[in-house]
Amino acid sequence: MHDSLLKGKLFHPACYTHGVFLPTVCNTLELFSKKKLLLVFPLDAKHKPKTSQLNSSSTKNRNNKAAKLFLCVDERRFTVEVRNEGPIVSRKLVKPSTPTSPHLRSFKTSSIDQLAPQAYVPIFLYYHASNRDEIDGKRKRLEKSLSEILTLYYPLAGRYINDNKVVDCNDDGVEYSEAQVSGQLAQLLQEEVIKLELLNNLAPFAMVSANTPLALVQVNIFECGGLAIGFLFSHIIADGIAATTFLNAWATACCIRGINGVIRPSFNLASFFPPKENIAVVRPKNLGALIITRRFMFNGAAITSLKGIAKGGACDSESLTKQQPSRVMVVTALIWKALIAVEQAKHGHLRPSILCHSLSLRGRTALPIPENSFGNLYMMANARFGGECGDSESKMELHELVGLLDDSLRNALADCKKPQSGDDLVSMITNSSREISEELERGETDVFIFSSWCRFPLYEVDFGWGKPIWVSNRPKPVEIVNLMDTKDGDAIEAWVHLNEKDMLLFQTHPDITAFTSQI
């Protein structure tokens, strides 16, 4: 296997925006040298290939143009396009600057880690252009400080062993790439509607395997001197808050302060939540469907207006005494309202639905969990909309949905303070996950997954040349809504990932067109 691609790892950007996501096929492929998988087109999207019966052949890649790789699975033919990885100028594994001690070699993951999706999560940080003469110094500082911070965050440099639910902290390293990007960073960011597919080139894609690094970094250098840092981390060992904390720690190490200014992370969540057998895991719906990603901006004025509508529509005394709904709550409720309407249009009647929203458990339980704990420490708070025959359109009003969300969050926060042991808390979390899995299995209730990164200090990640001018996500292959702050902290970007037909209905919903701009 050439060093340009690590064994068991695969790059496949376009699978996230069109085509069909086929991990069972992709895991068996080995692409060599400067090839990158772009598309997988099956003849039958419902067909489940048997990887043991896979064989392939490819055309010659003439004049650096895309070539095609043909896969035969059970006599069915798949087409895979590959292309040269032009922008990548270097790729290496960055190891901790100091070897990890033998007694830290095995890092046990927690039962909450087991509940997390077995996927990689991307974060993109964009920085203003600077003097081209400073680029070499920045590149060297980034790589050197990454090696230094990995001495504190050593599990990220290891490899996950699924059978044992542990990370082998073997110091194999984090994948670190540098890419030269033609064009100006301003050209990308000043587009009226950013072509989200372009973001796929700013970070590698990875698939879970025993040999895939748990974190991957791609430093993109634009012609103007602007930088875009693409960071990819395995959700198996970290949630969004843990990843954000790592990025800020790396940035601190990159500055003059070095790692002496970094708060050491704690890796003891497994002592509170030991791994379990047969734990319930929520699988994404419509995996393999054509997923479209659109970015919708809720500006400060729109959010203020939505807060007023939500507060003004509540006429009962209990609702009037509640606090002003948050930015995230009113944006979530409005998107939920539009999604309910999409399902109503498809089925001809109101349907029950559950909105699952991620909720951090840091500082919210009765357990003495350190604030600097690294790993997954969150649960899903579930809000339920009835949709029974007796329900009317009035139940879909914004204030009604805000009330359902508020109740679900209040109940979840109260419930997570009750368990006096890790086992009891995990039982509560798994019961919630099991409820969602059962609803997905029955197919009679719509399930919408939301994740908010608002108030995460991603805009504080300063490597020594200023704070990011933008923080972004990228297209995903599953149906989910991601909420992110804008730089000023007042507006919210909603990254909505839906199947193609639902997206057409969603983006033309009257409330979406009235309160958002597509960017």
Side-chain angles (χ1 to χ4, degrees):
M1 193 70 177
H2 288 303
D3 58 3
S4 63
L5 286 177
L6 304 177
K7 186 176 180 182
K9 174 171 164 289
L10 192 61
F11 299 82
H12 47 85
C15 289
Y16 279 65
T17 52
H18 52 285
V20 176
F21 186 60
L22 290 173
T24 52
V25 172
C26 295
N27 271 328
T28 68
L29 294 178
E30 290 187 349
L31 302 182
F32 296 89
S33 187
K34 295 181 179 179
K35 306 287 187 179
K36 181 188 284 186
L37 176 64
L38 287 185
L39 301 175
V40 179
F41 289 110
L43 295 180
D44 178 2
K46 297 180 180 179
H47 175 62
K48 297 180 179 179
K50 297 178 181 178
T51 56
S52 61
Q53 300 180 16
L54 179 69
N55 60 78
S56 66
S57 62
S58 64
T59 64
K60 293 182 179 179
N61 189 9
R62 299 185 181 92
N63 302 321
N64 294 325
K65 294 182 179 179
K68 290 186 177 180
L69 180 71
F70 297 104
L71 310 179
C72 296
V73 185
D74 293 346
E75 298 183 351
R76 293 173 183 255
R77 191 173 178 84
F78 294 75
T79 302
V80 180
E81 292 185 11
V82 296
R83 75 172 180 193
N84 279 346
E85 271 184 358
I88 302 295
V89 294
S90 70
R91 180 179 288 120
K92 63 182 70 173
L93 290 170
V94 173
K95 303 174 184 292
S97 58
T98 302
T100 301
S101 299
H103 74 281
L104 300 174
R105 178 73 184 249
S106 181
F107 167 60
K108 187 180 294 185
T109 57
S110 75
S111 48
I112 300 181
D113 291 327
Q114 289 178 262
L115 291 167
Q118 290 208 4
Y120 282 78
V121 182
I123 301 175
F124 295 85
L125 308 168
Y126 304 81
Y127 295 89
H128 268 307
S130 60
N131 191 323
R132 289 289 301 181
D133 295 336
E134 300 175 359
I135 291 297
D136 282 345
K138 290 181 178 180
R139 290 168 51 240
K140 291 175 182 177
R141 284 164 57 192
L142 280 169
E143 183 178 336
K144 181 176 182 292
S145 57
L146 176 60
S147 179
E148 292 171 347
I149 199 63
L150 287 175
T151 62
L152 301 184
Y153 285 84
Y154 54 89
L156 284 175
R159 299 295 181 265
Y160 182 65
I161 303 175
N162 187 56
D163 292 343
N164 300 329
K165 310 302 179 190
V166 299
V167 174
D168 179 9
C169 301
N170 54 14
D171 292 345
D172 273 3
V174 166
E175 183 179 299
Y176 184 86
S177 305
E178 293 181 356
Q180 297 287 346
V181 183
S182 60
Q184 311 290 310
L185 178 58
Q187 290 177 310
L188 173 66
L189 301 185
Q190 291 175 1
E191 291 281 348
E192 184 175 345
V193 178
I194 293 177
K195 297 178 181 178
L196 300 182
E197 291 79 5
L198 295 177
L199 306 184
N200 287 326
N201 296 320
L202 301 181
F205 281 77
M207 302 190 73
V208 176
S209 80
N211 299 304
T212 309
L214 293 174
L216 304 94
V217 174
Q218 184 172 313
V219 179
N220 303 277
I221 305 166
F222 289 78
E223 289 178 352
C224 59
L227 292 179
I229 298 176
F231 177 62
L232 206 65
F233 68 93
S234 172
H235 211 329
I236 293 173
I237 66 164
D239 58 16
I241 291 180
T244 303
T245 303
F246 167 76
L247 285 171
N248 275 288
W250 178 18
T252 298
C254 192
C255 297
I256 298 174
R257 288 171 291 174
I259 62 172
N260 292 329
V262 175
I263 298 175
R264 290 178 174 268
S266 170
F267 296 106
N268 66 345
L269 285 179
S271 65
F272 292 96
F273 315 109
K276 296 179 177 290
E277 296 291 335
N278 303 319
I279 198 164
V281 178
V282 177
R283 301 297 181 189
K285 64 175 182 176
N286 292 335
L287 187 59
L290 178 60
I291 303 299
I292 302 296
T293 299
R294 294 285 183 268
R295 191 167 64 109
F296 301 88
M297 173 72 79
F298 291 80
N299 63 30
I303 291 174
T304 299
S305 177
L306 289 173
K307 287 182 177 181
I309 294 171
K311 192 71 174 176
C315 52
D316 61 284
S317 58
E318 182 181 352
S319 297
L320 289 171
T321 59
K322 290 181 180 179
Q323 294 180 347
Q324 178 91 343
S326 68
R327 298 179 309 141
V328 170
M329 191 171 292
V330 294
V331 166
T332 299
L334 188 84
I335 295 174
W336 189 13
K337 179 182 177 183
L339 292 172
I340 291 172
V342 167
E343 295 300 327
Q344 182 181 20
K346 287 163 52 181
H347 297 278
H349 59 86
L350 277 177
R351 280 167 55 90
S353 66
I354 297 177
L355 187 147
C356 309
H357 212 303
S358 57
L359 176 67
S360 173
L361 295 178
R362 286 173 167 78
R364 290 171 167 167
T365 75
L367 305 176
I369 300 172
E371 289 186 11
N372 59 332
S373 293
F374 185 85
N376 287 285
L377 191 54
Y378 72 97
M379 65 176 291
M380 302 304 290
N382 303 330
R384 187 180 285 269
F385 170 76
E388 286 86 5
C389 295
D391 283 347
S392 64
E393 298 287 340
S394 64
K395 295 294 184 181
M396 286 176 58
E397 293 299 326
L398 186 69
H399 71 274
E400 294 278 359
L401 297 177
V402 166
L404 294 176
L405 278 172
D406 186 71
D407 289 343
S408 70
L409 290 172
R410 287 174 182 269
N411 292 337
L413 288 170
D415 289 344
C416 68
K417 291 183 181 296
K418 296 175 183 177
Q420 299 299 308
S421 71
D423 284 344
D424 290 342
L425 183 60
V426 170
S427 294
M428 184 188 77
I429 297 172
T430 53
N431 287 340
S432 176
S433 295
R434 189 175 294 109
E435 175 190 3
I436 300 305
S437 295
E438 290 172 354
E439 294 289 6
L440 284 170
E441 191 71 26
R442 282 193 289 267
E444 298 172 357
T445 299
D446 300 311
V447 177
F448 307 118
I449 309 295
F450 280 64
S451 177
S452 172
W453 285 12
C454 294
R455 301 304 184 203
F456 285 17
L458 286 166
Y459 280 98
E460 300 300 315
V461 181
D462 184 352
F463 290 94
W465 46 80
K467 297 178 180 180
I469 56 176
W470 187 39
V471 176
S472 84
N473 210 305
R474 76 173 171 194
K476 290 189 172 81
V478 294
E479 293 189 313
I480 188 172
V481 177
N482 296 114
L483 305 181
M484 303 186 72
D485 280 324
T486 54
K487 186 173 176 60
D488 62 15
D490 293 330
I492 289 179
E493 292 184 14
W495 291 64
V496 181
H497 314 265
L498 292 174
N499 73 65
E500 188 176 26
K501 293 181 179 179
D502 288 1
M503 182 61 78
L504 291 173
L505 294 171
F506 176 84
Q507 65 189 9
T508 56
H509 185 275
D511 285 337
I512 297 301
T513 58
F515 291 99
T516 76
S517 58
Q518 191 172 326
I519 54 177

